Amino acid sequence: HMDMWSFARVFLSLILIFIVALSFPAQVSIVGIFLAIILATLGAVAFGTIVGTFFLSAFWIGENAFIDRIVDGIDRWARYPLDLFPKAFHYVFIFVFPIFFVTIWPVKLSFGGIAFSSAGWMMLGALGLIIFWGVLFSLILSRGLKKYESGGG
């Protein structure tokens, strides 16, 4: 679901990318921007799959608004330079809450801070997260629907 505000943010982000690319042509690469968009998209799908899996807990615990508050907190964290955190946090931001896929790495790819050869590994990592959490999502959803049906729903 994409509302008008989300569309406006995406459109403004693309305009900002092109302004930066025109202002700093030696530092910004079109290939890097393209890879960054792909990586950010895969990261967003991975993050959405993880969050969706946690929201399925509603089948067992009822209202789970606390998960929404956790996701909002993670969204606030994503506004800070996450690569400044200790290495232990990096693994959390890569595998548990894959914020690096939608914040740090796309920016570094766009500006040449990460080699293009690393982008393939990053994309494979994001795909791995999508597959793992997608399978887990499907399993939990099917069990949750069985519980819902057995409860007279």
Side-chain angles (χ1 to χ4, degrees), residues 9 13 16 25 32 42 46 54 57-58 60 71-72 74 78-80 89 98 101-102 126 130 149-150:
R9 286 178 21 185
S13 297
L16 183 62
L42 290 173
F54 287 117
S57 66
W60 291 274
V71 171
D72 285 344
I74 293 168
R79 297 178 188 160
Y80 298 101
F89 282 99
F101 289 101
V102 293
I130 291 168
E149 290 171 2
S150 67

PDB file of all heavy atoms in Angstrom, residues 9 13 16 25 32 42 46 54 57-58 60 71-72 74 78-80 89 98 101-102 126 130 149-150:
ATOM      1  N   ARG A   9       7.539  11.178  -0.912  1.00  0.00           N
ATOM      2  CA  ARG A   9       8.865  10.973  -0.319  1.00  0.00           C
ATOM      3  C   ARG A   9       9.798  10.254  -1.293  1.00  0.00           C
ATOM      4  O   ARG A   9      10.970  10.625  -1.414  1.00  0.00           O
ATOM      5  CB  ARG A   9       8.751  10.196   0.988  1.00  0.00           C
ATOM      6  CG  ARG A   9       8.198  11.048   2.086  1.00  0.00           C
ATOM      7  CD  ARG A   9       8.003  10.387   3.403  1.00  0.00           C
ATOM      8  NE  ARG A   9       8.744   9.197   3.667  1.00  0.00           N
ATOM      9  CZ  ARG A   9       8.589   8.464   4.754  1.00  0.00           C
ATOM     10  NH1 ARG A   9       7.705   8.826   5.659  1.00  0.00           N
ATOM     11  NH2 ARG A   9       9.303   7.384   4.943  1.00  0.00           N
ATOM     12  N   SER A  13      13.040  11.955  -2.910  1.00  0.00           N
ATOM     13  CA  SER A  13      14.326  11.272  -2.720  1.00  0.00           C
ATOM     14  C   SER A  13      15.051  11.097  -4.049  1.00  0.00           C
ATOM     15  O   SER A  13      16.263  11.300  -4.136  1.00  0.00           O
ATOM     16  CB  SER A  13      14.119   9.909  -2.058  1.00  0.00           C
ATOM     17  OG  SER A  13      13.573  10.058  -0.781  1.00  0.00           O
ATOM     18  N   LEU A  16      16.467  14.393  -5.076  1.00  0.00           N
ATOM     19  CA  LEU A  16      17.655  14.674  -4.273  1.00  0.00           C
ATOM     20  C   LEU A  16      18.863  13.880  -4.766  1.00  0.00           C
ATOM     21  O   LEU A  16      19.973  14.416  -4.865  1.00  0.00           O
ATOM     22  CB  LEU A  16      17.386  14.380  -2.802  1.00  0.00           C
ATOM     23  CG  LEU A  16      18.520  14.684  -1.842  1.00  0.00           C
ATOM     24  CD1 LEU A  16      18.861  16.168  -1.871  1.00  0.00           C
ATOM     25  CD2 LEU A  16      18.146  14.257  -0.436  1.00  0.00           C
ATOM     26  N   PRO A  25      29.731  14.999  -9.460  1.00  0.00           N
ATOM     27  CA  PRO A  25      29.795  13.939 -10.481  1.00  0.00           C
ATOM     28  C   PRO A  25      30.972  12.982 -10.306  1.00  0.00           C
ATOM     29  O   PRO A  25      30.878  11.825 -10.688  1.00  0.00           O
ATOM     30  CB  PRO A  25      29.887  14.715 -11.797  1.00  0.00           C
ATOM     31  CG  PRO A  25      30.383  16.065 -11.413  1.00  0.00           C
ATOM     32  CD  PRO A  25      29.901  16.324 -10.025  1.00  0.00           C
ATOM     33  N   GLY A  32      26.401   2.867  -9.209  1.00  0.00           N
ATOM     34  CA  GLY A  32      26.259   2.804  -7.759  1.00  0.00           C
ATOM     35  C   GLY A  32      24.845   3.140  -7.309  1.00  0.00           C
ATOM     36  O   GLY A  32      24.301   2.487  -6.419  1.00  0.00           O
ATOM     37  N   LEU A  42      15.539  -4.568  -1.873  1.00  0.00           N
ATOM     38  CA  LEU A  42      15.643  -5.893  -1.259  1.00  0.00           C
ATOM     39  C   LEU A  42      15.657  -5.790   0.263  1.00  0.00           C
ATOM     40  O   LEU A  42      15.016  -6.588   0.955  1.00  0.00           O
ATOM     41  CB  LEU A  42      16.907  -6.611  -1.753  1.00  0.00           C
ATOM     42  CG  LEU A  42      16.913  -7.058  -3.207  1.00  0.00           C
ATOM     43  CD1 LEU A  42      18.285  -7.587  -3.601  1.00  0.00           C
ATOM     44  CD2 LEU A  42      15.841  -8.111  -3.442  1.00  0.00           C
ATOM     45  N   ALA A  46      13.047  -7.412   2.903  1.00  0.00           N
ATOM     46  CA  ALA A  46      13.516  -8.249   4.018  1.00  0.00           C
ATOM     47  C   ALA A  46      13.001  -7.701   5.347  1.00  0.00           C
ATOM     48  O   ALA A  46      12.491  -8.452   6.181  1.00  0.00           O
ATOM     49  CB  ALA A  46      15.044  -8.319   4.023  1.00  0.00           C
ATOM     50  N   PHE A  54       6.777 -10.951  12.929  1.00  0.00           N
ATOM     51  CA  PHE A  54       6.522 -10.608  14.330  1.00  0.00           C
ATOM     52  C   PHE A  54       5.071 -10.182  14.560  1.00  0.00           C
ATOM     53  O   PHE A  54       4.492 -10.474  15.604  1.00  0.00           O
ATOM     54  CB  PHE A  54       7.482  -9.527  14.820  1.00  0.00           C
ATOM     55  CG  PHE A  54       8.874 -10.031  15.035  1.00  0.00           C
ATOM     56  CD1 PHE A  54       9.929  -9.539  14.294  1.00  0.00           C
ATOM     57  CD2 PHE A  54       9.131 -11.009  15.981  1.00  0.00           C
ATOM     58  CE1 PHE A  54      11.220 -10.005  14.495  1.00  0.00           C
ATOM     59  CE2 PHE A  54      10.419 -11.486  16.191  1.00  0.00           C
ATOM     60  CZ  PHE A  54      11.464 -10.983  15.442  1.00  0.00           C
ATOM     61  N   SER A  57       2.276 -12.630  15.620  1.00  0.00           N
ATOM     62  CA  SER A  57       2.099 -13.049  17.013  1.00  0.00           C
ATOM     63  C   SER A  57       0.696 -12.713  17.521  1.00  0.00           C
ATOM     64  O   SER A  57       0.257 -13.251  18.538  1.00  0.00           O
ATOM     65  CB  SER A  57       3.152 -12.394  17.905  1.00  0.00           C
ATOM     66  OG  SER A  57       2.958 -10.994  17.953  1.00  0.00           O
ATOM     67  N   ALA A  58      -0.023 -11.858  16.815  1.00  0.00           N
ATOM     68  CA  ALA A  58      -1.380 -11.493  17.218  1.00  0.00           C
ATOM     69  C   ALA A  58      -2.293 -12.711  17.277  1.00  0.00           C
ATOM     70  O   ALA A  58      -3.268 -12.721  18.031  1.00  0.00           O
ATOM     71  CB  ALA A  58      -1.946 -10.456  16.253  1.00  0.00           C
ATOM     72  N   TRP A  60      -1.691 -15.413  18.696  1.00  0.00           N
ATOM     73  CA  TRP A  60      -1.530 -16.055  19.991  1.00  0.00           C
ATOM     74  C   TRP A  60      -1.665 -15.097  21.168  1.00  0.00           C
ATOM     75  O   TRP A  60      -2.168 -15.472  22.213  1.00  0.00           O
ATOM     76  CB  TRP A  60      -0.176 -16.767  20.067  1.00  0.00           C
ATOM     77  CG  TRP A  60      -0.147 -17.949  19.158  1.00  0.00           C
ATOM     78  CD1 TRP A  60      -0.582 -19.214  19.440  1.00  0.00           C
ATOM     79  CD2 TRP A  60       0.305 -17.982  17.814  1.00  0.00           C
ATOM     80  NE1 TRP A  60      -0.431 -20.026  18.337  1.00  0.00           N
ATOM     81  CE2 TRP A  60       0.112 -19.291  17.318  1.00  0.00           C
ATOM     82  CE3 TRP A  60       0.844 -17.019  16.956  1.00  0.00           C
ATOM     83  CZ2 TRP A  60       0.448 -19.668  16.034  1.00  0.00           C
ATOM     84  CZ3 TRP A  60       1.177 -17.393  15.664  1.00  0.00           C
ATOM     85  CH2 TRP A  60       0.985 -18.704  15.221  1.00  0.00           C
ATOM     86  N   VAL A  71       9.050  -1.183  16.071  1.00  0.00           N
ATOM     87  CA  VAL A  71       9.370  -0.834  14.676  1.00  0.00           C
ATOM     88  C   VAL A  71       9.582   0.672  14.541  1.00  0.00           C
ATOM     89  O   VAL A  71      10.503   1.123  13.852  1.00  0.00           O
ATOM     90  CB  VAL A  71       8.265  -1.333  13.719  1.00  0.00           C
ATOM     91  CG1 VAL A  71       8.471  -0.800  12.317  1.00  0.00           C
ATOM     92  CG2 VAL A  71       8.217  -2.851  13.715  1.00  0.00           C
ATOM     93  N   ASP A  72       8.752   1.472  15.216  1.00  0.00           N
ATOM     94  CA  ASP A  72       8.951   2.928  15.192  1.00  0.00           C
ATOM     95  C   ASP A  72      10.297   3.308  15.798  1.00  0.00           C
ATOM     96  O   ASP A  72      10.983   4.202  15.299  1.00  0.00           O
ATOM     97  CB  ASP A  72       7.825   3.641  15.945  1.00  0.00           C
ATOM     98  CG  ASP A  72       6.527   3.677  15.175  1.00  0.00           C
ATOM     99  OD1 ASP A  72       6.565   3.437  13.949  1.00  0.00           O
ATOM    100  OD2 ASP A  72       5.485   3.927  15.795  1.00  0.00           O
ATOM    101  N   ILE A  74      12.995   1.447  15.834  1.00  0.00           N
ATOM    102  CA  ILE A  74      14.028   1.061  14.865  1.00  0.00           C
ATOM    103  C   ILE A  74      14.102   2.077  13.736  1.00  0.00           C
ATOM    104  O   ILE A  74      15.183   2.430  13.269  1.00  0.00           O
ATOM    105  CB  ILE A  74      13.742  -0.364  14.322  1.00  0.00           C
ATOM    106  CG1 ILE A  74      13.916  -1.378  15.439  1.00  0.00           C
ATOM    107  CG2 ILE A  74      14.649  -0.691  13.141  1.00  0.00           C
ATOM    108  CD1 ILE A  74      13.387  -2.746  15.114  1.00  0.00           C
ATOM    109  N   ALA A  78      17.373   4.332  12.463  1.00  0.00           N
ATOM    110  CA  ALA A  78      17.867   4.330  11.083  1.00  0.00           C
ATOM    111  C   ALA A  78      18.251   5.722  10.604  1.00  0.00           C
ATOM    112  O   ALA A  78      18.902   5.862   9.576  1.00  0.00           O
ATOM    113  CB  ALA A  78      16.808   3.729  10.161  1.00  0.00           C
ATOM    114  N   ARG A  79      17.883   6.743  11.337  1.00  0.00           N
ATOM    115  CA  ARG A  79      18.220   8.112  10.954  1.00  0.00           C
ATOM    116  C   ARG A  79      19.618   8.522  11.389  1.00  0.00           C
ATOM    117  O   ARG A  79      20.071   9.600  11.049  1.00  0.00           O
ATOM    118  CB  ARG A  79      17.192   9.075  11.538  1.00  0.00           C
ATOM    119  CG  ARG A  79      15.817   8.823  10.972  1.00  0.00           C
ATOM    120  CD  ARG A  79      14.793   9.736  11.564  1.00  0.00           C
ATOM    121  NE  ARG A  79      13.479   9.298  11.112  1.00  0.00           N
ATOM    122  CZ  ARG A  79      12.371   9.609  11.704  1.00  0.00           C
ATOM    123  NH1 ARG A  79      12.385  10.373  12.777  1.00  0.00           N
ATOM    124  NH2 ARG A  79      11.222   9.173  11.246  1.00  0.00           N
ATOM    125  N   TYR A  80      20.285   7.679  12.152  1.00  0.00           N
ATOM    126  CA  TYR A  80      21.622   7.992  12.661  1.00  0.00           C
ATOM    127  C   TYR A  80      22.670   7.198  11.890  1.00  0.00           C
ATOM    128  O   TYR A  80      22.360   6.168  11.286  1.00  0.00           O
ATOM    129  CB  TYR A  80      21.702   7.671  14.160  1.00  0.00           C
ATOM    130  CG  TYR A  80      20.744   8.502  14.963  1.00  0.00           C
ATOM    131  CD1 TYR A  80      19.541   7.972  15.411  1.00  0.00           C
ATOM    132  CD2 TYR A  80      21.020   9.830  15.246  1.00  0.00           C
ATOM    133  CE1 TYR A  80      18.655   8.745  16.133  1.00  0.00           C
ATOM    134  CE2 TYR A  80      20.137  10.611  15.966  1.00  0.00           C
ATOM    135  CZ  TYR A  80      18.948  10.058  16.409  1.00  0.00           C
ATOM    136  OH  TYR A  80      18.071  10.824  17.114  1.00  0.00           O
ATOM    137  N   PHE A  89      26.830  -4.495  17.218  1.00  0.00           N
ATOM    138  CA  PHE A  89      25.563  -3.937  16.775  1.00  0.00           C
ATOM    139  C   PHE A  89      25.379  -4.101  15.271  1.00  0.00           C
ATOM    140  O   PHE A  89      24.257  -4.223  14.793  1.00  0.00           O
ATOM    141  CB  PHE A  89      25.452  -2.452  17.144  1.00  0.00           C
ATOM    142  CG  PHE A  89      25.108  -2.207  18.574  1.00  0.00           C
ATOM    143  CD1 PHE A  89      26.101  -1.899  19.490  1.00  0.00           C
ATOM    144  CD2 PHE A  89      23.800  -2.284  19.007  1.00  0.00           C
ATOM    145  CE1 PHE A  89      25.790  -1.658  20.812  1.00  0.00           C
ATOM    146  CE2 PHE A  89      23.472  -2.044  20.331  1.00  0.00           C
ATOM    147  CZ  PHE A  89      24.480  -1.739  21.237  1.00  0.00           C
ATOM    148  N   PRO A  98      17.437  -5.660   9.507  1.00  0.00           N
ATOM    149  CA  PRO A  98      18.376  -5.327   8.418  1.00  0.00           C
ATOM    150  C   PRO A  98      18.323  -3.874   7.957  1.00  0.00           C
ATOM    151  O   PRO A  98      18.012  -3.568   6.818  1.00  0.00           O
ATOM    152  CB  PRO A  98      17.960  -6.289   7.313  1.00  0.00           C
ATOM    153  CG  PRO A  98      16.521  -6.546   7.562  1.00  0.00           C
ATOM    154  CD  PRO A  98      16.341  -6.501   9.059  1.00  0.00           C
ATOM    155  N   PHE A 101      20.798  -2.545   5.067  1.00  0.00           N
ATOM    156  CA  PHE A 101      20.433  -2.743   3.669  1.00  0.00           C
ATOM    157  C   PHE A 101      19.669  -1.556   3.090  1.00  0.00           C
ATOM    158  O   PHE A 101      19.640  -1.380   1.881  1.00  0.00           O
ATOM    159  CB  PHE A 101      19.571  -4.011   3.509  1.00  0.00           C
ATOM    160  CG  PHE A 101      20.337  -5.290   3.711  1.00  0.00           C
ATOM    161  CD1 PHE A 101      20.245  -5.974   4.904  1.00  0.00           C
ATOM    162  CD2 PHE A 101      21.141  -5.796   2.712  1.00  0.00           C
ATOM    163  CE1 PHE A 101      20.927  -7.155   5.100  1.00  0.00           C
ATOM    164  CE2 PHE A 101      21.847  -6.973   2.897  1.00  0.00           C
ATOM    165  CZ  PHE A 101      21.741  -7.655   4.099  1.00  0.00           C
ATOM    166  N   VAL A 102      19.023  -0.782   3.941  1.00  0.00           N
ATOM    167  CA  VAL A 102      18.221   0.337   3.439  1.00  0.00           C
ATOM    168  C   VAL A 102      18.789   1.699   3.799  1.00  0.00           C
ATOM    169  O   VAL A 102      18.256   2.719   3.372  1.00  0.00           O
ATOM    170  CB  VAL A 102      16.747   0.239   3.924  1.00  0.00           C
ATOM    171  CG1 VAL A 102      16.056  -0.941   3.302  1.00  0.00           C
ATOM    172  CG2 VAL A 102      16.663   0.186   5.433  1.00  0.00           C
ATOM    173  N   ALA A 126      20.649 -10.111   1.419  1.00  0.00           N
ATOM    174  CA  ALA A 126      19.264  -9.644   1.530  1.00  0.00           C
ATOM    175  C   ALA A 126      18.302 -10.711   1.022  1.00  0.00           C
ATOM    176  O   ALA A 126      17.264 -10.971   1.642  1.00  0.00           O
ATOM    177  CB  ALA A 126      19.083  -8.342   0.755  1.00  0.00           C
ATOM    178  N   ILE A 130      15.340 -12.635   3.013  1.00  0.00           N
ATOM    179  CA  ILE A 130      13.968 -12.692   2.485  1.00  0.00           C
ATOM    180  C   ILE A 130      13.480 -14.132   2.447  1.00  0.00           C
ATOM    181  O   ILE A 130      12.353 -14.436   2.858  1.00  0.00           O
ATOM    182  CB  ILE A 130      13.887 -12.035   1.093  1.00  0.00           C
ATOM    183  CG1 ILE A 130      14.093 -10.526   1.201  1.00  0.00           C
ATOM    184  CG2 ILE A 130      12.554 -12.351   0.412  1.00  0.00           C
ATOM    185  CD1 ILE A 130      14.313  -9.831  -0.131  1.00  0.00           C
ATOM    186  N   GLU A 149      -9.056 -20.660  12.755  1.00  0.00           N
ATOM    187  CA  GLU A 149     -10.177 -21.470  12.306  1.00  0.00           C
ATOM    188  C   GLU A 149     -10.691 -22.357  13.423  1.00  0.00           C
ATOM    189  O   GLU A 149     -11.894 -22.560  13.559  1.00  0.00           O
ATOM    190  CB  GLU A 149      -9.757 -22.332  11.112  1.00  0.00           C
ATOM    191  CG  GLU A 149      -9.531 -21.514   9.856  1.00  0.00           C
ATOM    192  CD  GLU A 149      -8.904 -22.341   8.743  1.00  0.00           C
ATOM    193  OE1 GLU A 149      -8.683 -23.549   8.926  1.00  0.00           O
ATOM    194  OE2 GLU A 149      -8.658 -21.766   7.673  1.00  0.00           O
ATOM    195  N   SER A 150      -9.796 -22.897  14.245  1.00  0.00           N
ATOM    196  CA  SER A 150     -10.244 -23.776  15.319  1.00  0.00           C
ATOM    197  C   SER A 150     -10.938 -22.998  16.431  1.00  0.00           C
ATOM    198  O   SER A 150     -11.665 -23.557  17.236  1.00  0.00           O
ATOM    199  CB  SER A 150      -9.065 -24.563  15.908  1.00  0.00           C
ATOM    200  OG  SER A 150      -8.176 -23.689  16.579  1.00  0.00           O
TER     201      SER A 150
END
